[in-house]
Amino acid sequence: MNTECLMRKRIWEVDCLSMDAVIAAAFDWQELSNLLSGTGHHIKISETVCLTEMNIQTTIHQHCHSENTVSLKIEALLNQWFSKWIELVSQCSAEEVLAYVLTFDLTKRKMMAALSWALGSDPRKALDCVRRRLHQRFQMIALRQLSKS
């Protein structure tokens, strides 16, 4: 039995698009700031919340590219919070997951985080295309919403 395919990707192996989606959807910037502060990393608070949020998101993302206190904490939280989604995705074929991704309600933030983490950390090569379709669909719907405002 090939056990390599049963091993989940570690957080530093997850693609950047999935990682950014998970971080943005699973946490708010204050939670991320507290997590950084709790591990000895401090981010300068900017005059604008948007810039502060981007700095924190970028810092967290950079930490997630290697094994360290921050990445291990975030990985543990995501695995704990989204264990049911991880299990569900791991039991489905790529075709079944794709069918779900194409009809998934993208307006539910925590569910988007869970699906992005379950897909992003799944080691199966067959899910690469499914991950891209999720991000493509999300971008398409988000951009169309912008045009309505």
Side-chain angles (χ1 to χ4, degrees):
M1 177 178 208
N2 180 1
T3 57
E4 183 177 333
C5 67
L6 301 177
M7 299 290 293
R8 301 215 49 85
K9 288 181 188 176
R10 300 301 307 263
I11 196 167
W12 49 87
E13 299 171 316
V14 173
D15 65 284
C16 290
L17 285 174
S18 295
M19 182 52 54
D20 285 338
V22 169
I23 292 169
F27 301 93
D28 66 32
W29 72 269
Q30 292 99 342
E31 291 171 321
L32 294 173
S33 180
N34 291 340
L35 193 144
L36 286 171
S37 295
T39 57
H41 301 86
H42 300 283
I43 298 292
K44 181 181 172 192
I45 302 299
S46 175
E47 292 178 22
T48 62
V49 173
C50 183
L51 185 56
T52 299
E53 186 174 2
M54 284 299 299
N55 288 340
I56 291 170
Q57 175 94 10
T58 300
T59 301
I60 292 287
H61 181 107
Q62 290 168 343
H63 279 286
C64 289
H65 277 289
S66 63
E67 182 176 358
N68 57 70
T69 307
V70 173
S71 67
L72 292 173
K73 177 67 174 173
I74 290 174
E75 180 182 60
L77 287 170
L78 295 173
N79 283 335
Q80 177 186 352
W81 292 343
F82 304 134
S83 62
K84 290 179 183 174
W85 283 81
I86 291 168
E87 183 68 23
L88 177 70
V89 167
S90 70
Q91 293 177 356
C92 293
S93 69
E95 293 79 18
E96 292 169 322
V97 178
L98 177 60
Y100 184 71
V101 161
L102 294 176
T103 60
F104 178 72
D105 181 0
L106 298 174
T107 63
K108 300 195 182 333
R109 194 180 114 205
K110 293 294 183 177
M111 289 175 62
M112 181 66 179
L115 183 56
S116 293
W117 180 247
L119 283 172
S121 61
D122 192 294
R124 292 176 288 172
K125 191 77 173 144
L127 290 183
D128 287 352
C129 182
V130 176
R131 274 191 294 279
R132 284 191 301 276
R133 293 294 290 231
L134 174 63
H135 299 302
Q136 178 186 34
R137 185 166 172 255
F138 179 77
Q139 289 172 350
M140 180 181 66
I141 289 171
L143 290 169
R144 285 184 182 157
Q145 289 299 317
L146 289 175
S147 68
K148 292 179 181 179
S149 53

